[in-house]
Amino acid sequence: MPPALIEPRTARLQLRQWRAQDRDAFAAMVADPEVMRYFPAPLTRTQSDAMADKCEALIAERGWGIWVVERLADQQFIGFVGLHVPQPDLPFSPCVEIAWRLAQHAWHQGFATEAARAALTVGFGTLQLAEIVAFTTKTNTPSQAVMQRLGMERDSASDFDHPALPAGHPLRPHVLYRLGAANFGAPPERQAYPVPL
Ligand SMILES: CC(C)(COP(=O)(O)OP(=O)(O)OC[C@H]1O[C@@H](n2cnc3c(N)ncnc32)[C@H](O)[C@@H]1OP(=O)(O)O)[C@@H](O)C(=O)NCCC(=O)NCCS
């Protein structure tokens, strides 16, 4: 029997399973060179459909995963945020990572942090995980700022070269942030922008 779908909601956002009608907005997002600035290349339509299919299949299988983020105010697709078990050849695997990607029009409004906090609540609450990690290329400061807003701590001793990128690739050096269940608290900004738990 398939597991019950976990689809967290926050004050402004619905995190949910993928639908066929998300594919166009997702393809447009991952074809945007600015959104993909810290990735090897923008995705083709074939690649973006394959990625959406994979996210949808993993949520169907587990009940949780990389969710679509829909803005409640207008039901618009604004990106994805969620939890994922990454490739086993990372030096700190096995682990559960938190990941995010938003369309440019949805940046600088606190949506990534708000959605990520809901995903962490699922991870530490429902899933009872002991730790959740996040990683990104060294120069991706906007993503590291989200990690820091969530109370994640950089583990400098675990800086690593991403095995999927060739030696010498400028995006290869990566940083790792960690958050333990005991440290998932209420960052100060939550008082101003409450997220129902
Ligand atoms: C990484 C990414 C999601 C960060 O987005 P972001 O908009 O900077 O982060 P948040 O959604 O948490 O928003 C925080 C900003 O919203 C502002 N903000 C405005 N209204 C807010 C509100 N109601 N609540 C909280 N913050 C608010 C904050 O002050 C902060 O401003 P700043 O960006 O000027 O510092 C985005 O840059 C992105 O999708 N990049 C491309 C993909 C990518 O690199 N993904 C990560 C790969 S590991």
Side-chain angles (χ1 to χ4, degrees), residues 12 34-39 98-103 106-114 135-137 140 142-147 149 189 193:
R12 298 180 295 170
E34 194 54 32
V35 168
M36 300 302 283
R37 185 170 161 194
Y38 298 105
F39 296 90
I98 184 162
W100 39 69
R101 201 174 302 178
L102 297 185
W107 293 0
H108 308 301
Q109 296 163 72
F111 290 140
T113 303
E114 182 172 321
F135 51 89
T136 189
T137 193
N140 190 345
S143 189
Q144 290 176 57
V146 177
M147 297 171 198
R149 280 194 286 276
E189 67 265 29
Y193 306 104

Side-chain angles (χ1 to χ4, degrees), residues 17-181:
Q17 175 59 304
W18 294 69
R19 297 177 188 151
Q21 59 264 40
D22 298 319
R23 299 298 197 269
D24 286 351
F26 179 56
M29 176 178 95
V30 292
D32 178 348
E34 194 54 32
V35 168
M36 300 302 283
R37 185 170 161 194
Y38 298 105
F39 296 90
L43 301 190
T44 63
R45 181 66 194 232
T46 306
Q47 289 170 323
S48 79
D49 282 349
M51 187 173 171
D53 286 347
K54 188 175 168 199
C55 292
E56 184 176 343
L58 285 170
I59 292 176
E61 187 186 310
R62 297 176 170 149
W64 54 272
I66 304 275
W67 292 281
V68 161
V69 180
E70 183 181 292
R71 187 164 49 206
L72 289 172
D74 57 5
Q75 282 88 52
Q76 199 182 339
F77 171 102
I78 63 163
F80 69 65
V81 171
L83 302 171
H84 183 63
V85 179
Q87 56 193 93
D89 61 348
L90 296 173
F92 42 87
S93 282
C95 63
V96 174
E97 65 157 320
I98 184 162
W100 39 69
R101 201 174 302 178
L102 297 185
Q104 267 197 76
H105 66 79
W107 293 0
H108 308 301
Q109 296 163 72
F111 290 140
T113 303
E114 182 172 321
R117 209 165 276 144
L120 291 174
T121 301
V122 172
F124 291 127
T126 316
L127 306 179
Q128 291 284 293
L129 299 173
E131 183 183 70
I132 295 174
V133 304
F135 51 89
T136 189
T137 193
K138 224 167 209 166
T139 50
N140 190 345
T141 48
S143 189
Q144 290 176 57
V146 177
M147 297 171 198
Q148 289 158 13
R149 280 194 286 276
L150 294 168
M152 304 187 86
E153 284 187 6
R154 180 160 170 198
D155 176 2
S156 300
S158 296
D159 283 3
F160 67 105
D161 286 332
H162 200 294
L165 294 167
H169 193 290
L171 298 175
R172 197 166 190 237
H174 271 57
V175 295
L176 179 73
Y177 278 68
R178 298 180 187 269
L179 183 63

